[in-house]
DNA sequence: ACCTGAACACCGTTCAAGT
DNA sequence: ACCTGAACACCGTTCAAGT
């Protein structure tokens, strides 16, 4: 028996196996052994199906940050929880970050983050600004991690020797080893720490202003 | 007379007018008044054409930072120069950031940024890490600005009243006005300043270590 | 060297017909 | 209520035929 859930699950499976560009209504129908048009009894169109994919992946994020912990630690935990998407569903990541969800699954992470930033002592405007900085950083980092965006490694992994002209690009050539290697967790945590620490400085200033 | 340049220009025009999803070889050919297959005399395939689109847009970035200026100011200027893409070619932005270019146009911004970060006193490893943080932030910010990624405004602009349940999402509801309004330049500069300032602290530490 | 139409294997979605 | 095949208007790309 066909159902919305089975369709969404099949869509995620196809995306993870063959990529978000390869996914199609016909491909998903084949995966389920049904005719294409059967899908339309449970999902209005492809766009809504991709929304459902994003929603399902988002709702599986496990936020484990302790409400009693210091807010800086909670921000770190929330950011890392979000990054789990890139681990569990790398090829769905672009779909997740590019769908404009106004559902519970979409707004819950925002709600949590805003609450944490309010705890830090920011007013509404500041909290929203900080949230946007974090989201931008996280989205940018995840897209690099899943290969949507380049790492700027000057050579392709399938090519043995460096191709970049050292005369034209002295820096890129000199730092080729550092550009080639990209430990995604390490790079993510580095920037996260940078952001959390400046944010802590700002929070103190905000608290000082308020008295 | 058809040419690679004319094809790329037409592709950019179509993308800006109708969106990156709507662009097709057939659509571009129609735009130029030629048969689809004529394009293939100048461009090997659609993927290569999109690479050329990214390259053309990237090469139009005007880096105007003064080499004599303080490195923090140069970082700011370079980041803002990159953001101009979102202004001039909003609907090409996703194409630009998602193409893995190893050409001059693709590597020049990286080369400039690394040189600036070296001037700041970072070693190769640190410079690459800082570069990645900046790129992630910029990419994330640009995708928000051009509408690929959500702003998390709790209501749609075409709907007059807030739809979010204040009981479920007290923060999102309370800060709805701040979430609705998003001055992209202001938000971008806010996070940029945050990053530049922590980076300056790190640079001092790096300089201190070195002697 | 450059342009082209026909053809192939794909898309998403509508509609009318089945159960 | 749910499934479905035919049909329509699209894709990117190959190939053989033109100039």
């Amino acid at each position: 028996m066909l159902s919305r859930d089975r369709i969404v699950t099949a869509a995620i499976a196809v995306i993870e196996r063959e990529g978000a560009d390869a996914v199609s209504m016909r491909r998903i129908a084949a995966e389920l052994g049904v005719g294409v048009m059967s899908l339309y009894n449970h999902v209005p169109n492809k766009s809504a199906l991709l929304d459902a994919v994003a929603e399902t992946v988002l709702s599986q994020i496990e936020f484990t940050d302790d409400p009693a912990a210091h807010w800086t630690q909670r921000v770190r935990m929330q950011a890392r929880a979000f990054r789990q998407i890139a681990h569990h569903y790398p090829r769905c990541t672009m779909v997740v970050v590019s769908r404009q969800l106004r559902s519970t699954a979409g707004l819950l992470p925002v709600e949590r983050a805003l609450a944490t930033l309010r705890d830090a002592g920011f007013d509404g405007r500041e909290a929203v600004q900080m949230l946007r900085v974090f989201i931008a950083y996280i989205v940018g980092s995840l897209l690099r991690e899943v290969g949507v965006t380049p790492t700027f490694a000057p050579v392709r992994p399938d090519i043995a020797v460096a191709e970049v002209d050292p005369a034209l690009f002295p820096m890129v050539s000199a730092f080729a080893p550092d550009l080639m290697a990209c430990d995604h967790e390490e790079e993510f945590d580095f920037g996260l720490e940078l952001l959390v620490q400046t944010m802590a400085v700002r929070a103190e200033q905000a608290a000082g202003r308020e008295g």
Side-chain angles (χ1 to χ4, degrees), chain A:
Chain A
M1 185 58 175
L2 210 48
S3 73
R4 204 187 112 106
D5 266 8
R6 285 192 60 213
I7 293 172
V8 173
T9 304
I12 292 174
V14 171
I15 292 173
E16 287 306 320
R17 200 180 323 121
E18 305 174 24
D21 291 338
V23 82
S24 72
M25 298 302 272
R26 294 175 126 102
R27 183 70 196 72
I28 294 164
E31 181 87 0
L32 291 163
V34 299
V36 206
M37 292 318 298
S38 306
L39 304 181
Y40 288 83
N41 292 305
H42 303 88
V43 158
N45 51 45
K46 189 183 181 183
S47 175
L49 175 52
L50 291 179
D51 279 349
V53 165
E55 207 139 335
T56 301
V57 170
L58 264 181
S59 68
Q60 289 180 24
I61 297 180
E62 290 179 27
F63 287 109
T64 57
D65 52 308
D66 177 5
H70 192 261
W71 67 264
T72 50
Q73 187 54 20
R74 298 190 65 195
V75 168
R76 268 185 279 258
M77 296 297 282
Q78 287 173 27
R80 291 194 188 116
F82 207 89
R83 192 172 86 89
Q84 291 307 306
I85 296 171
H87 271 127
H88 294 323
Y89 302 101
R91 309 184 90 171
C92 286
T93 301
M94 187 61 210
V95 174
V96 173
V97 302
S98 64
R99 294 271 129 188
Q100 318 254 355
L101 304 178
R102 247 161 296 266
S103 58
T104 301
L107 287 180
L108 207 67
V110 173
E111 179 69 19
R112 291 182 75 98
L114 284 176
T116 307
L117 291 166
R118 285 290 286 149
D119 283 350
F122 296 114
D123 65 29
R125 171 79 184 113
E126 290 166 331
V128 168
Q129 276 184 312
M130 291 292 179
L131 173 68
R132 287 191 175 132
V133 172
F134 266 90
I135 291 175
Y137 173 70
I138 293 169
V139 167
S141 296
L142 262 52
L143 293 188
R144 164 159 38 77
E145 180 159 354
V146 302
V148 169
T149 262
T151 48
F152 296 108
V155 298
R156 298 237 302 281
D158 53 329
I159 296 176
V161 207
E163 309 168 84
V164 171
D165 183 352
L168 274 173
F169 301 109
M171 296 292 165
V172 173
S173 300
F175 306 139
D178 291 313
L179 284 165
M180 297 291 300
C182 189
D183 180 324
H184 293 293
E185 181 167 343
E186 193 181 337
E187 300 297 287
F188 183 79
D189 281 346
F190 175 81
L192 179 58
E193 212 47 46
L194 225 58
L195 285 174
V196 168
Q197 285 178 14
T198 15
M199 214 171 57
V201 174
R202 297 291 175 116
E204 273 179 46
Q205 294 169 359
R209 271 202 321 275
E210 224 165 306

